[in-house]
């Protein structure tokens, strides 16, 4: 049997339209999605939280509760960046625990937890709290290609995650780099070495996605991530219906009801067309970028490099930057090129080339990374480079979150009078400026509806 996780509400939304899908856009189809027979619906976490507060002016927690109310039968899934939660820095353990607890209370059933460096110390608290709250913890391994990353390393990570108590393991291929052959071999190794179900998550960016999911299913993958066809392909996932069609022909049981897929797709197709017309979806994201296979850097990172160089009128130096990028990555101990590392490595490579001196300048983020504030680099950091950037500054070897003061009491002191509940407090902690703005707007909205009602009575 191969089960399906539908990603249209989270990853497809994030990959194709920069997470700008408002709740109202998909509300009418939720009840149908609940009937389809998905293993889970990925609908929260990742960039959705930030986007709700920053752009959509929605309360992310309320969005989750509304999805849950409409989908009581299907497991709701979220993506969590370990100790970073849904923000961009490490939070203290008490914040991580409260966030996980509240996510489960508000409707999440499966929390997929990863760390950008695959440093398991950065996921253990979130995993522990997920289990304590009776939800499913899914440990995600960031898949990347480098001279030090191999199946042995991934199997070792999977074994350690299993002993932490995760109930499934996800191969998270954020750049669409996992090839059919590599996927087959990796899933085969994982199936031999761990007992929990294996989930495969990839993107179509390079064109490999469909073939890779098929080979992974052949190797025994239990769950695959797909997106309903109108929101599939390009930087998104392979299409749900196509994978079901293919797998069933080959004799796999796929417990999803096709007539509901049709309804779901009819619904999202109309919305997709509307988004194209309004410019919310750029057709470029729907294409195939094979450059990633040559340079082994994610498509999003490549376009960032191009736009950085264009902005500085230095696009003719792209080749030099593309040559410099893997060298920077090697100096930094081969971090997987996933947010935020992809941006950090890219900016450094551009700076190394344009300034004419390697590591003459380094961003605050790179300094934090080299100080160990993001966790442990997968490989060895070039100590000469570290010294050139940091000088004699202290480097953390222990888990960075251990050095942080508890965050909840401090936040309560700071925001206590403005917040109504723990959910609000967590929004504040992660995105203070955006939350502040959103909450005052929400207050205003409440008052406006109120006065409107009064005037109606009068
Ligand atoms: Co993804």
């Amino acid at each position: 049997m191969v089960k399906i996780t539908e990603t249209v509400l989270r990853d497809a939304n994030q990959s194709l339209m920069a997470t700008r899908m408002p709740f109202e856009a998909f509300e009418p189809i939720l009840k149908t999605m609940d009937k389809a027979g998905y293993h889970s619906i990925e609908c929260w976490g990742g960039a959705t939280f930030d986007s709700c507060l920053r752009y959509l002016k929605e309360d992310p927690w309320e969005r989750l509760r509304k999805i849950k109310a409409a989908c009581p039968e299907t497991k709701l899934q979220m993506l969590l960046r370990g100790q970073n939660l849904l923000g961009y820095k490490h939070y203290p353990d008490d914040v991580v625990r409260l966030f996980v607890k509240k996510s489960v209370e508000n409707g999440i059933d499966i929390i997929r937890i990863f760390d950008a460096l695959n440093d398991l110390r950065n996921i253990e608290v979130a995993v522990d709290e997920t289990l304590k709250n009776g939800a499913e913890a899914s440990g995600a391994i960031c898949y990347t290609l480098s001279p030090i990353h191999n199946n042995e390393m991934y199997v070792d990570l999977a074994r350690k995650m299993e002993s932490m108590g995760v109930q499934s393991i996800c191969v998270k291929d954020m750049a669409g780099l996992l090839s059919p052959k590599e996927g087959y071999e990796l899933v085969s190794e994982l199936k031999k070495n761990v007992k929990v179900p294996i989930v495969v998550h990839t993107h179509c960016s390079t064109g490999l996605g469909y073939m890779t999911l098929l080979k992974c299913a052949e190797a025994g993958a239990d769950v695959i991530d797909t997106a309903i066809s109108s929101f599939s392909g390009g930087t998104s996932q392979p299409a749900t219906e196509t994978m079901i069609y293919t797998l069933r022909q080959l004799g796999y049981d796929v417990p999803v009801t096709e007539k509901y897929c049709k309804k779901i797709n009819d619904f999202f197709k109309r919305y997709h067309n509307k988004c194209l017309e309004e410019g919310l979806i750029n057709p470029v994201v729907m294409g195939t970028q094979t450059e990633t296979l040559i340079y082994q850097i994610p498509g999003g990172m490549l376009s960032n490099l191009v736009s950085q160089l264009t902005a500085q009128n230095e696009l003719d130096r792209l080749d030099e930057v593309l040559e410099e990028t893997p060298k920077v990555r090697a100096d930094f101990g081969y971090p997987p090129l996933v947010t935020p590392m992809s941006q950090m490595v890219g900016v450094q490579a551009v700076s190394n080339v344009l300034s004419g001196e390697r590591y003459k300048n380094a961003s605050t983020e790179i300094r934090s990374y080299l100080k160990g504030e993001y966790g442990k680099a997968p490989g060895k950091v070039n100590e000469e480079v570290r010294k050139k950037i940091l000088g004699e500054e202290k480097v953390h070897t222990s888990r960075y979150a251990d050095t942080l003061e508890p965050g909840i009491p401090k936040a309560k002191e700071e925001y206590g009078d403005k917040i109504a509940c723990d959910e609000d407090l967590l929004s504040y902690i992660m995105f203070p400026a955006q939350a502040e703005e959103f909450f005052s707007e929400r207050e205003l909205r409440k008052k406006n509806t109120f006065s409107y009602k009064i005037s109606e009575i009068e």
Side-chain angles (χ1 to χ4, degrees):
M1 189 195 297
V2 180
K3 295 191 235 170
I4 301 285
T5 290
E6 172 59 54
T7 67
V8 63
L9 302 183
R10 206 286 299 176
D11 205 351
N13 167 16
Q14 187 169 326
S15 302
L16 295 183
M17 54 184 296
T19 335
R20 300 293 203 279
M21 200 188 286
F23 176 76
E24 292 73 36
F26 57 82
E27 182 182 20
I29 199 65
L30 285 173
K31 287 209 158 73
T32 311
M33 289 181 76
D34 193 34
K35 289 184 204 147
Y38 297 129
H39 167 68
S40 62
I41 299 174
E42 194 198 32
C43 61
W44 210 63
T48 61
F49 198 97
D50 186 354
S51 181
C52 274
L53 289 171
R54 196 185 298 262
Y55 305 111
L56 302 171
K57 304 297 170 198
E58 270 182 49
D59 182 348
W61 299 98
E62 194 188 343
R63 168 185 282 223
L64 174 57
R65 288 191 294 271
K66 287 184 191 161
I67 298 174
K68 187 67 182 178
C71 300
E73 301 299 325
T74 313
K75 286 179 181 165
L76 299 187
Q77 186 173 316
M78 73 174 290
L79 180 68
L80 189 78
R81 296 193 276 266
Q83 207 73 26
N84 285 7
L85 299 174
L86 305 176
Y88 305 106
K89 58 172 194 177
H90 279 216
Y91 296 99
D93 290 342
D94 62 335
V95 175
V96 172
R97 288 194 185 276
L98 184 65
F99 186 85
V100 168
K101 183 168 177 267
K102 288 288 152 187
S103 302
V104 177
E105 269 179 29
N106 281 278
I108 289 294
D109 302 285
I110 303 175
I111 308 189
R112 179 179 290 170
I113 306 165
F114 78 99
D115 175 66
L117 299 175
N118 288 323
D119 182 341
L120 298 186
R121 298 173 306 172
N122 293 337
I123 71 162
E124 63 190 16
V125 174
V127 168
D128 181 63
E129 191 63 28
T130 304
L131 299 177
K132 272 190 186 145
N133 284 277
E136 177 180 328
S138 185
I141 297 168
C142 289
Y143 180 79
T144 190
L145 295 168
S146 89
I148 62 154
H149 287 88
N150 52 41
N151 285 353
E152 234 179 284
M153 187 193 237
Y154 295 130
V155 166
D156 182 54
L157 282 167
R159 280 215 187 102
K160 286 179 178 148
M161 284 177 175
E162 193 176 42
S163 60
M164 285 164 75
V166 302
Q167 292 112 316
S168 63
I169 282 165
C170 171
V171 176
K172 179 178 160 56
D173 171 30
M174 49 284 168
L177 277 172
L178 181 70
S179 73
K181 175 179 184 283
E182 290 158 358
Y184 185 86
E185 289 171 358
L186 175 54
V187 172
S188 302
E189 284 303 309
L190 291 172
K191 290 302 284 183
K192 266 186 244 159
N193 287 286
V194 293
K195 289 190 193 71
V196 295
I198 304 298
V199 185
V200 181
H201 174 89
T202 187
H203 290 253
C204 291
S205 331
T206 61
L208 296 173
Y210 288 91
M211 299 183 281
T212 299
L213 284 190
L214 180 59
K215 292 302 282 183
C216 288
E218 281 180 20
D222 301 272
V223 183
I224 54 172
D225 283 10
T226 61
I228 200 74
S229 53
S230 46
F231 268 83
S232 70
T235 51
S236 175
Q237 273 73 50
T240 306
E241 303 95 305
T242 313
M243 289 311 303
I244 295 174
Y245 184 87
T246 307
L247 289 168
R248 283 208 182 129
Q249 269 199 351
L250 290 166
Y252 294 90
D253 178 18
V254 188
V256 175
T257 311
E258 273 161 311
K259 70 169 185 193
Y260 293 121
C261 287
K262 170 84 170 61
K263 279 189 183 168
I264 296 162
N265 189 49
D266 287 347
F267 179 87
F268 279 109
K269 198 190 277 177
R270 282 194 298 274
Y271 182 61
H272 188 269
N273 287 339
K274 189 172 156 251
C275 290
L276 275 175
E277 271 167 32
E278 289 173 2
L280 271 169
I281 294 178
N282 181 340
V284 168
V285 299
M286 285 141 62
T288 304
Q289 292 193 331
T290 48
E291 292 90 342
T292 301
L293 300 176
I294 304 167
Y295 303 121
Q296 303 199 339
I297 59 173
M301 184 175 168
L302 186 65
S303 42
N304 274 343
L305 291 177
V306 169
S307 60
Q308 268 182 62
L309 289 170
T310 310
Q312 299 181 56
N313 224 353
E314 300 270 12
L315 190 57
D316 54 332
R317 306 195 72 179
L318 180 62
D319 284 344
E320 284 170 78
V321 170
L322 288 173
E323 228 170 90
E324 176 65 10
T325 305
K327 291 180 193 160
V328 170
R329 191 175 172 223
D331 287 337
F332 290 166
Y334 296 106
L337 295 177
V338 60
T339 306
M341 288 313 305
S342 46
Q343 291 85 340
M344 285 153 62
V345 168
V347 168
Q348 189 65 55
V350 169
S351 154
N352 285 1
V353 167
L354 296 190
S355 73
E357 182 189 335
R358 302 188 77 218
Y359 305 110
K360 187 177 173 193
N361 309 303
S363 65
T364 324
E365 289 82 8
I366 285 291
R367 299 175 64 85
S368 303
Y369 170 75
L370 292 174
K371 278 193 261 180
E373 292 177 4
Y374 287 80
K376 193 177 179 303
K380 280 202 173 68
V381 171
N382 181 335
E383 287 305 328
E384 262 173 53
V385 169
R386 174 138 55 194
K387 214 163 173 194
K388 173 153 190 189
I389 294 176
L390 290 185
E392 295 305 319
E393 268 188 87
K394 192 175 158 274
V395 174
H396 296 274
T397 47
S398 62
R399 196 180 69 112
Y400 181 60
D402 288 336
T403 68
L404 302 173
E405 296 285 321
I408 300 293
K410 212 175 106 204
K412 277 193 173 152
E413 213 171 279
E414 208 169 322
Y415 312 120
D417 48 339
K418 299 179 194 161
I419 49 143
C421 54
D422 285 345
E423 285 80 355
D424 282 0
L425 184 71
L426 289 161
S427 301
Y428 254 123
I429 292 175
M430 273 186 291
F431 300 100
Q434 289 73 27
E436 175 101 53
E437 205 185 303
F438 169 69
F439 290 143
S440 43
E441 249 188 69
R442 188 173 63 180
E443 269 314 299
L444 217 67
R445 257 187 254 162
K446 264 190 217 159
K447 277 182 200 146
N448 285 346
T449 1
F450 186 64
S451 58
Y452 176 69
K453 276 178 192 154
I454 297 278
S455 61
E456 240 185 1
I457 296 164
E458 284 170 342

